[in-house]
Amino acid sequence: MSLAKDALPVARLDKIPLALIPVIAAAALPLIPSLPTWVTLTVAGLAMGMMIFIMASGLTLVFGLMDVMNFAHGAFITIGAFVATSVLLPLAGWTQADSLWRNLAALLLAILASMAVTGALGVAFERVIIKPVYGQHLKQILITMGGLIVAEQLIIAIWGPDMIALPKPATLRGSFIYGDIAIEKYRVLAVLVGLAVFAAMFLVLNRTRVGLLIRAGVEDSEMVESLGYRIRRVFIGVFAAGSALAGLGGVMWALYQETVTSAMGMQVMILIFIVIIIGGLGSVGGCFIGSLLVGLVANYVGFLAPKVALGSNILLMVLILLWRPQGLYPVAKR
Amino acid sequence: MTVIRTLLSGDYPRSRALTAVLLVILVGLAFAPFVFPGTRSLDVAAKVCVFILLVASYDLLLGYTGIVSFAHTMFFGIGAYGIAIAASSLGPTWGSLALGSLAALACSALLALLIGVLSLRVKTIFFAMITLAVAAFFAILASQLSGFTGGEDGLTYTLPQVLLPGSKLLAAPLFGVDIDGRIVSYYLVFFAAAALFLVLLRVVNSPFGRVLQAIRENDFRAEAIGYRSVVYRSVANCVAALAASAAGILYALWLRYAGPATTLSFDIMVDILLMVVIGGMGTMYGAVVGATLFVIAQTYLQDLMKLASHAAAGIPLLPALVHPDRWLLWLGILFILSVYRFPAGIVGKLRSRDKRHHFVTR
């Protein structure tokens, strides 16, 4: 037993990227005039990062395992948001009631519906659109772009071209107030959901048999196949899970913005790509840290210098790539 | 014959049907002011010319070099804004237009070189993602710097007298059409686009173009023979960026307006992708066919779909699918089918139909 342990040393965790988050938060502290503002901004940044992580995690996992970059991922985000409007708006009695449990029940229902729809669509998308072009990067990019165009048009055909307003449930509006510090309730929920998703992914990947297969597949899918596992089935499962996560992220993001448009997925996609590049293509842990960094930097810069806020993410990406050209946690295979 | 051979760089359409289609497009565009009088149709013709050049330059990247860039509209926009900023701040003189064009071209080349050297070493997907982020950043920049670029509203400006619709060049109408500044600018756009298209055709048929195709097919082997693929890709990226900027310059001269929606938006990038893939990647002539088809569809397909939409009234969901605003849906489906079924697009389809004929003439 001890021999086996010697033969296969546990990979040491690279702690430097982890330290980036507290370092950036601490560096922002002296720049921001008051402590309460800093706390508010930090929580807002973490919440934004968590929501981006929910949307990006599925995409980066799919890329890591299947070597497929799905440019139509944004469409799943949009579909998730629109399904949520179809569930939440008729349930106005529940969402506008002054009871936390009813609000959460309605939200849970919307999330489940969105994840079911986007997960099922993900399976269909993998079968019809992506399956024929495994291993051909150029065609993958083109075909998923085509899928994005068609999906966006279908969304408009089904839900109409207009922006839909989606108010937050009654008890999730407003803020918790501690002295001078105000923290929006919805952001706390976003952080909790994001942490739950991260914990669930971490446990599934590291503590279950399926997770073992996925991690092995990321390292070398041919080897896993030659050991007798049907890696294609794992592919479909991961793709469905990734799409469902996009749907969940879409619901969270839509409620955060309180509006739903057919272009919202594509707008978030830019942030998602930046996060995935920062994290190292295919790495879930890197994606988590990248999301939090992007969220924090966007909020700090947005407060300090609103003019350059929109470019701050690109700047962050360039800086990180100059430091580590493969991203924070490069995946060994690539 | 030798003139045509030189002009086309020895790269013939290689199909009777394709030759016929190309001739119809060429004649149609060359005599557009006389054959299709009216402001709307002349607008369409000018847009076709500009997009043929833009799509051909994208084909150099996608079809010949095998790299996917989402920053092509950025270079298109740089060209358009070069003219717009020069004409609105320095006044409507030829000198300021030349200065604006040169500044735009220099800016594009530098930016393309920078992006190329920094990110073309890595994989296709990585480059596509980086260019998408950079292009989005650039579009935001253009709308934020409103003092300089006019923000979301864009810039409207005036041009030298000869190019304005008000100026009459001939006292009497020619073939029943008034020869005014509108026609002069149309022919400026037409001849410039045609010349630059032939230059691009020359580039892809040169030894340099051969190396690009070798890199597309197998960059590892190309590198093994001794071609530095990073260098070749970067140069191709610069050439494509320059041509895209030239297209932007022509478009800005034609529209006398430059704004984010007409030059920088992601929708235009999607349009370019549709045109190059449906027309035929890696063929150059595909750009001509794709751009013409697309722009005409964009303008006139909606009228046709309006009829279909009325006809389908009463059937559930179908009217929503053939609604005039859903034309992009059908082109999107055509796009997906193109990538799967006929990767060389319409041009490839026409050529494969004429295969036998092609062998005989060779």
Side-chain angles (χ1 to χ4, degrees):
Chain A
M1 208 49 212
S2 66
L3 200 79
K5 256 186 185 164
D6 290 340
L8 198 71
V10 179
R12 215 161 40 82
L13 183 69
D14 181 2
K15 293 199 183 69
I16 303 172
L18 280 177
L20 273 182
I21 297 170
V23 164
I24 286 193
L29 189 54
L31 298 173
I32 292 164
S34 71
L35 187 69
T37 321
W38 179 80
V39 173
T40 306
L41 285 175
T42 307
V43 173
L46 289 178
M48 183 179 163
M50 289 293 183
M51 280 186 279
I52 298 173
F53 168 71
I54 296 172
M55 293 183 272
S57 56
L59 189 62
T60 200
L61 192 61
V62 164
F63 181 79
L65 182 62
M66 301 143 75
D67 205 15
V68 167
M69 185 50 71
N70 179 13
F71 279 74
H73 194 73
F76 291 106
I77 295 171
T78 320
I79 291 173
F82 272 104
V83 171
T85 65
S86 295
V87 174
L88 286 178
L89 293 180
L91 282 179
W94 283 22
T95 56
Q96 300 316 316
D98 200 23
S99 139
L100 180 64
W101 295 115
R102 278 192 167 187
N103 289 173
L104 286 183
L107 190 59
L108 193 68
L109 209 62
I111 286 175
L112 287 179
S114 294
M115 289 180 79
V117 170
T118 48
L121 281 176
V123 172
F125 196 80
E126 198 272 345
R127 295 281 89 183
V128 178
I129 301 278
I130 293 181
K131 196 183 162 204
V133 288
Y134 274 121
Q136 306 169 36
H137 286 151
L138 195 123
K139 277 196 172 178
Q140 271 169 19
I141 299 174
L142 293 178
I143 214 83
T144 52
M145 281 302 296
L148 175 72
I149 298 168
V150 171
E152 227 167 54
Q153 294 295 316
L154 283 176
I155 289 168
I156 301 176
I158 295 172
W159 280 285
D162 301 321
M163 192 169 88
I164 299 179
L166 184 66
K168 285 179 191 128
T171 48
L172 295 176
R173 276 177 236 147
S175 315
F176 296 116
I177 307 219
Y178 304 100
D180 289 337
I181 302 172
I183 295 171
E184 270 186 48
K185 290 176 185 171
Y186 187 74
R187 288 180 173 155
V188 177
L189 181 75
V191 171
L192 290 178
V193 173
L195 281 177
V197 167
F198 183 66
M201 271 181 104
F202 188 80
L203 287 177
V204 167
L205 284 176
N206 291 301
R207 295 276 183 276
T208 67
R209 199 175 165 74
V210 178
L212 189 68
L213 272 181
I214 294 175
R215 279 184 301 138
V218 170
E219 290 299 324
D220 190 339
S221 57
E222 261 179 25
M223 197 62 211
V224 176
E225 222 169 358
S226 68
L227 288 173
Y229 296 100
R230 295 198 182 165
I231 197 80
R232 284 285 162 119
R233 289 209 181 150
V234 182
F235 278 14
I236 301 173
V238 169
F239 200 91
S243 309
L245 281 175
L248 168 61
V251 179
M252 299 300 292
W253 191 254
L255 281 169
Y256 177 60
Q257 306 257 317
E258 300 201 281
T259 53
V260 180
T261 66
S262 59
M264 66 176 274
M266 202 53 225
Q267 286 160 3
V268 200
M269 270 316 267
I270 311 283
L271 280 180
I272 292 177
F273 278 156
I274 291 176
V275 160
I276 291 180
I277 293 173
I278 288 178
L281 280 79
S283 153
V284 174
C287 171
F288 186 68
I289 294 179
S291 307
L292 295 184
L293 285 179
V294 163
L296 285 175
V297 169
N299 275 279
Y300 292 143
V301 179
F303 177 78
L304 293 170
K307 271 272 175 195
V308 287
L310 290 159
S312 65
N313 300 315
I314 300 270
L315 206 66
L316 180 71
M317 178 180 84
V318 171
L319 286 177
I320 296 229
L321 287 182
L322 285 176
W323 172 45
R324 289 196 170 177
Q326 303 284 317
L328 293 177
Y329 288 114
V331 175
K333 183 165 77 173
R334 321 226 172 267
Chain B
M1 274 324 270
T2 49
V3 176
I4 291 178
R5 193 188 162 77
T6 317
L7 274 179
L8 298 184
S9 316
D11 185 2
Y12 295 110
R14 298 207 304 273
S15 147
R16 275 186 190 168
L18 179 59
T19 313
V21 170
L22 290 174
L23 277 178
V24 167
I25 294 173
L26 177 68
V27 170
L29 289 177
F31 300 103
F34 304 102
V35 187
F36 316 107
T39 338
R40 191 183 175 199
S41 48
L42 200 59
D43 262 335
V44 171
K47 196 174 173 188
V48 169
C49 294
V50 169
F51 273 86
I52 285 176
L53 177 58
L54 183 62
V55 173
S57 66
Y58 194 66
D59 197 21
L60 173 67
L61 279 185
L62 181 63
Y64 284 87
T65 323
I67 47 186
V68 186
S69 159
F70 286 107
H72 215 59
T73 43
M74 177 172 83
F75 300 117
F76 187 55
I78 289 176
Y81 274 104
I83 288 285
I85 292 169
S88 55
S89 57
L90 301 175
T93 61
W94 289 106
S96 69
L97 292 189
L99 190 69
S101 310
L102 282 178
L105 291 173
C107 184
S108 284
L110 203 69
L111 209 56
L113 195 67
L114 207 65
I115 295 177
V117 170
L118 285 181
S119 47
L120 272 174
R121 280 173 193 283
V122 285
K123 295 204 312 179
T124 325
I125 286 180
F126 195 74
F127 185 72
M129 290 164 75
I130 293 265
T131 50
L132 190 66
V134 170
F137 172 61
F138 193 83
I140 291 166
L141 200 69
S143 60
Q144 286 286 302
L145 296 172
S146 47
F148 196 48
T149 59
E152 284 296 322
D153 298 332
L155 291 168
T156 332
Y157 43 89
T158 172
L159 291 175
Q161 194 61 41
V162 192
L163 297 178
L164 295 179
S167 67
K168 280 227 162 49
L169 270 83
L170 296 179
L174 189 68
F175 304 120
V177 177
D178 287 327
I179 305 298
D180 58 8
R182 203 83 186 135
I183 301 215
V184 176
S185 14
Y186 176 74
Y187 278 109
L188 176 69
V189 170
F190 172 76
F191 282 112
L196 286 169
F197 177 79
L198 293 176
V199 169
L200 285 174
L201 198 61
R202 179 68 252 176
V203 169
V204 299
N205 285 294
S206 65
F208 171 74
R210 289 276 159 201
V211 178
L212 293 185
Q213 290 171 56
I215 290 171
R216 174 193 67 191
E217 292 304 322
N218 192 330
D219 60 343
F220 185 72
R221 285 188 193 167
E223 192 99 23
I225 311 172
Y227 296 108
R228 298 277 313 272
S229 60
V230 181
V231 174
Y232 278 88
R233 280 182 178 153
S234 302
V235 174
N237 198 30
C238 287
V239 173
L242 284 175
S245 297
I249 290 169
L250 295 178
Y251 205 39
L253 286 177
W254 174 255
L255 289 178
R256 280 176 283 130
Y257 165 77
T262 52
T263 54
L264 286 174
S265 79
F266 190 69
D267 294 344
I268 303 222
M269 197 59 242
V270 169
D271 291 354
I272 297 174
L273 265 176
L274 287 166
M275 290 183 222
V276 75
V277 168
I278 293 174
M281 283 183 280
T283 59
M284 277 295 150
Y285 293 112
V288 180
V289 179
T292 311
L293 195 76
F294 187 90
V295 175
I296 289 177
Q298 197 175 29
T299 326
Y300 298 105
L301 186 65
Q302 303 190 23
D303 297 341
L304 202 70
M305 289 179 72
K306 218 171 275 172
L307 292 177
S309 186
H310 285 304
I315 309 167
L317 200 62
L318 197 61
L321 292 181
V322 293
H323 186 276
D325 290 343
R326 291 293 79 69
W327 63 283
L328 205 55
L329 171 70
W330 299 102
L331 283 181
I333 292 172
L334 184 62
F335 174 90
I336 293 178
L337 290 178
S338 298
V339 177
Y340 283 149
R341 294 284 158 204
F342 42 113
I346 295 174
V347 167
K349 203 81 193 154
L350 291 177
R351 277 182 179 168
S352 66
R353 243 185 39 167
D354 272 32
K355 259 260 153 75
R356 223 172 40 191
H357 166 75
H358 160 63
F359 279 122
V360 172
T361 48
R362 274 232 167 143

